[in-house]
């Protein structure tokens, strides 16, 4: 197993490697060949673009900290989604339901700007249509693009938000190279640690991570982190970014704050973590949906609280099908949770602070 960003705890790696040796339930065990020398020597960038066929582009507005991020699968990918938050803002997620007709997705848009930011999807659709990418239907090319938004209207002038032009520019900028991370695109206006008020919050962002399994299967994620509470390192249980204490020397710890119910201000509608998990394995729509569901475990490990009535926590999945054959969904789902957690940590560690909103690297109380 090769790890991209961050690093996965050794016990988790060992457990997953052990699972790889097990036959899928109800199936005869097949022999797995050892990685080839060229595969063993391969290097990951720690980005979702480590999945062949996945491209990422950002566009950040100059007028205020907000923007959008476009994840493209121009060759088509089987898609899934799992919406866990109680206040989501999404577009065309119903088409990802396994019972529905469309089998391939050409892009996912993650955007700031709350519901207004969903207009960015239209821009990505327009750019893909100009490239001739999409479903052929009655003489037309129809790109299948879905998306989700986060709330960042409290940062700067709320009348400035991503629109169709933002989505178009992000799609135009998309590439399969290393992905910029931090305070860019959908992460530009993201913040964390708002349960005790914005004066004790910190800067969020967008991050990415990847893991390569034996046989060349890659699982990767990109996540925009705009949590109302804390970002926690699952490996240590320590708060990495979140609610600063009143004297600015450390963290209050959202877990203790919620248990004691002291000093809670709340931030209704401002708590959303959205992302995409991608793999080059071959999956059905039902399996892609399960992959998105299992990936949420990583969100719940790294964000506290998660999946609240206030937020729009949403994870999409994309399977490009480069690696043929039956996929082991237990392994893929477990690894998807790991890369989501790593991408969340990467998001806050890569962020650049704003006035009154320090980043992890700028805050002296960060561990």
């Amino acid at each position: 197993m090769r790890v991209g960003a961050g690093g996965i705890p050794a016990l988790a790696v060992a457990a997953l490697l052990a699972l790889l040796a097990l036959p899928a339930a109800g199936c005869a065990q097949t022999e797995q060949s050892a990685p080839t020398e060229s595969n063993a020597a391969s290097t990951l960038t720690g980005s979702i673009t480590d999945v062949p066929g996945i491209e990422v582009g950002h566009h950040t507005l100059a007028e205020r900290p907000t923007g959008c991020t476009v994840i493209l699968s121009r060759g088509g990918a089987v898609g899934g989604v799992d919406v866990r938050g109680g206040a989501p803002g999404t577009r065309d997620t119903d088409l990802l339901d396994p019972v529905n007709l469309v089998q391939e997705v050409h892009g996912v848009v993650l955007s700031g700007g709350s519901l207004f930011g969903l207009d960015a999807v239209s821009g990505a659709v327009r750019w893909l249509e100009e490239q001739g990418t999409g479903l052929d239907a009655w003489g037309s090319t129809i790109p299948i693009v879905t998306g989700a938004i986060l709330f960042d209207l409290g940062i700067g002038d709320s009348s400035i938000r991503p629109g169709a032009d933002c989505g178009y520019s992000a799609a135009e900028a998309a590439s399969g190279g290393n992905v910029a991370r931090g305070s860019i695109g959908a992460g530009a206006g993201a913040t964390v640690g708002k349960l005790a008020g914005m004066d004790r919050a910190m800067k969020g962002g967008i991050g990415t991570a990847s893991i390569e399994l034996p046989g060349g299967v890659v699982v990767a994620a990109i996540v925009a982190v705009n949590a109302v509470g804390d970002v926690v390192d699952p490996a240590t249980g320590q708060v990495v970014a979140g609610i600063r204490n009143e004297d600015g020397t450390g963290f209050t710890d959202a877990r203790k704050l919620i248990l004691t119910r002291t000093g809670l201000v709340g931030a209704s509608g401002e708590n959303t973590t959205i992302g995409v998990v991608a793999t080059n394995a071959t999956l059905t729509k039902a399996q892609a949906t399960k992959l998105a569901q299992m990936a949420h475990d990583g969100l719940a490990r790294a964000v506290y609280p998660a999946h609240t009535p206030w937020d729009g926590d949403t994870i999409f999945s994309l399977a490009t099908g480069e690696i043929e054959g039956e996929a082991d969904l237990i392994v893929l789902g477990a690894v998807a949770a790991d890369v989501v957690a790593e991408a969340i940590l990467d998001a806050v560690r890569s962020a650049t602070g704003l006035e009154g909103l320090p980043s992890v690297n700028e805050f002296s109380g960060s561990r």
Side-chain angles (χ1 to χ4, degrees):
M1 179 182 292
R2 307 182 69 83
V3 179
I8 308 300
L11 286 176
V13 172
L16 289 170
L17 285 174
L19 275 172
L20 283 168
L22 296 176
C27 299
Q29 185 168 4
T30 57
E31 185 174 306
Q32 296 196 9
S33 60
T36 63
E37 184 177 345
S38 60
N39 186 37
S42 68
T43 58
L44 300 181
T45 66
S47 302
I48 194 171
T49 51
D50 287 329
V51 176
I54 298 295
E55 301 171 86
V56 172
H58 301 291
H59 185 72
T60 307
L61 301 191
E63 298 86 352
R64 82 167 179 95
T66 190
C68 67
T69 297
V70 174
I71 300 93
L72 298 181
S73 51
R74 287 198 265 175
V78 175
V81 67
D82 189 32
V83 181
R84 296 278 177 96
T90 60
R91 173 167 158 172
D92 285 343
T93 50
D94 280 356
L95 62 82
L96 300 177
D97 189 313
V99 305
N100 290 334
L101 177 66
V102 172
Q103 296 299 308
E104 289 190 339
V105 179
H106 304 103
V108 178
V109 176
L110 309 178
S111 182
S114 189
L115 267 294
F116 303 104
L118 289 177
D119 285 348
V121 177
S122 296
V125 168
R126 178 162 56 90
W127 186 84
L128 285 167
E129 181 191 19
E130 292 174 1
Q131 312 312 306
T133 299
L135 295 179
D136 293 326
W138 296 282
S140 298
T141 299
I142 305 175
I144 304 301
V145 183
T146 184
I149 52 85
L150 56 80
F151 184 97
D152 61 4
L153 298 180
I155 307 298
D157 183 352
S158 62
S159 68
I160 299 169
R161 51 255 184 158
D165 289 345
C166 182
Y168 186 98
S169 296
E172 188 176 40
S175 76
N178 199 4
V179 177
R181 56 200 75 189
S183 301
I184 190 170
T191 52
V192 299
K194 294 163 280 195
L195 268 177
M198 286 299 293
D199 59 336
R200 290 165 62 183
M202 291 180 66
K203 190 69 183 67
I206 192 165
T208 186
S210 65
I211 295 177
E212 183 178 4
L213 299 169
V217 172
V218 179
V219 184
I222 186 167
V223 184
V225 183
N226 190 53
V228 74
D230 293 338
V231 172
V232 178
D233 186 341
T236 65
Q238 293 185 328
V239 177
V240 176
I243 306 164
R244 293 174 286 154
N245 58 26
E246 294 186 46
D247 62 13
T249 60
F251 295 109
T252 297
D253 196 325
R255 294 164 291 193
K256 296 177 181 177
L257 199 65
I258 287 175
L259 284 174
T260 60
R261 299 185 63 81
T262 56
L264 288 174
V265 174
S268 180
E270 299 177 20
N271 178 33
T272 292
T273 299
I274 52 178
V276 178
V277 172
T279 181
N280 58 348
T282 297
L283 299 178
T284 65
K285 283 182 73 175
Q287 290 173 322
T289 300
K290 177 55 67 177
L291 184 68
Q293 290 174 352
M294 294 179 73
H296 267 284
D297 290 351
L299 194 162
R301 292 173 199 159
V303 173
Y304 185 90
H307 307 143
T308 75
W310 297 347
D311 66 51
D313 290 350
T314 299
I315 293 181
F316 298 90
S317 62
L318 297 171
T320 64
E322 179 200 30
I323 303 295
E324 297 180 353
E326 185 175 356
D328 189 331
L329 198 54
I330 293 177
V331 172
L332 290 183
V335 172
D338 285 337
V339 292
V340 165
E342 287 298 317
I344 289 169
L345 294 176
D346 183 52
V348 295
R349 287 170 173 161
S350 302
T352 302
L354 298 170
E355 184 177 356
L357 292 165
S359 68
V360 168
N361 294 324
E362 297 161 344
F363 180 46
S364 61
S366 295
R367 298 181 178 92

